[in-house]
Amino acid sequence: MTSNQKALRGRAISFSGNPFERPAAECLVHHEDALILVEDGRITAFGPYADLAATLPPGVEPVHYPDAILTAGFIDTHVHYPQLEMIGAYGAQLLEWLETYTFVTEQRFADRAHADMVAGHFLRELLRAGTTTAMVYCTVHPQSVEAFFAESERFNTRMIAGKVLMDRHAPPALLDTAQRGYDESKALIARWHGRGRQHYCVTPRFAPTSTEAQLDAAGALLREHDAIFMQTHLCENLAEVAWVRELFPERSSYLDTYDHAGLVGQRSMFGHAIHMHEADFHRCHEAGAALAFCPTSNLFLGSGLFQLFDAMDPARPVRVGLGTDVGGGTSLSQLQSLNEAYKVVAMSGRKLDAVRAFYLATLGGARALYLDDRLGRLAPGYDADIAVLDPKGTPLLDFRTRHCDTLEELLFVLMTLGDDRAVRATYVAGECVYDRSRAGDPFRYPARV
Ligand SMILES: [Zn+2]
């Protein structure tokens, strides 16, 4: 392979540890003037410019972002790409919202051309928001998965996605069967899992729309393949929790409907997990399963308040990532997710400071996905997935950030007032795939090496 060397220069933040377990000062890495050296899509060096400038390879001129903040790209641990067209739909809670909006919108993905069109918009909106990895629900149609991975492959983004499994309680056009869902998932795994930067995720929508036979088939897929992922929904809404109790009277809890099928383990991501008992948190901790905190969705659908500090209790910490849950969520920007996360946590009498918040959106998400050996940090050996944040991205941000005295204050204002306008550029495996200031189309597929 030809050597492909690059360098970025600017103020930068990263993490060397988990600030929910150790003092923030021990976990946050900050350089006022940093240099990031990249070779073949990976970071080879990260540190103060003054220390590293002499190691710049001949002919490599750093791309300089003097007024920006460089960070590892954001990680979205729960999002539905087919729902982009119905984001911001009025007036319903979860079960009615699914019937009225979601199941109508998702039927259009039987058409591959439609799936291609939406996947194209979705990936661009993620990159515009500085998000470089997401765990994504497609629809029941295998072609919806093909469309998504094909576009992700063109951008060379590291994405985790899968075909939704549903064999009951949805319109006939959106149903598979336990066997068909298994067969279609298996074919998609063979085609996409581990191809470039794509990862497959077994995706039963949630217990009410899968029979026990289908949940068991999902468990079989996990047992039969190494390092594949599992995503589903858990304890989002009280009416949903009551329905699951009716449908699965023999199970001890909602989580147990999944546990019984072998779906609770490492690389399992449960969306929402709002109405949880201590035993549920304990089981997730013990199994190494993760939860996706989706604040804009939980508020928009009126589902409830995720208990972040209970989940992260150092006595039995559960891995937690941050999710947008579009279209239940109202923004693909993880800065906006953090804005709402702060308020959700405040309603429980606690405070989510900016250091912990940015950890959740980067290394915390990577850890929840068991990808923290390659994602979520600016550090040698890590994928060069980088967001360039602009503290002057809006007139109000520009005005407000003049009055910030500390880095923590600046980051907090960025997450409170920022959105995609606070993202200047996004790098994927070292390539600048989005640059707000680029004339014409700000998006660009990386050149094939
Ligand atoms: Zn969801």
Side-chain angles (χ1 to χ4, degrees), residues 78-80 83 94 97 137 205 232-233 236 271-272 294 297 325-328:
H78 183 119
V79 63
H80 302 253
Q83 296 176 13
L94 175 66
W97 177 84
Y137 289 69
R205 170 169 241 120
T232 189
H233 296 81
E236 179 175 1
H272 307 298
C294 306
S297 170
D325 192 32
V326 164

Side-chain angles (χ1 to χ4, degrees), residues 330-359:
T330 50
S331 173
L332 284 173
S333 167
Q334 288 292 49
L335 295 172
Q336 276 306 292
S337 293
L338 291 176
N339 176 26
E340 299 304 308
Y342 175 81
K343 298 170 192 170
V344 166
V345 171
M347 289 296 290
S348 308
R350 302 289 297 264
K351 289 289 184 279
L352 177 64
D353 61 81
V355 173
R356 284 169 166 164
F358 274 78
Y359 169 83

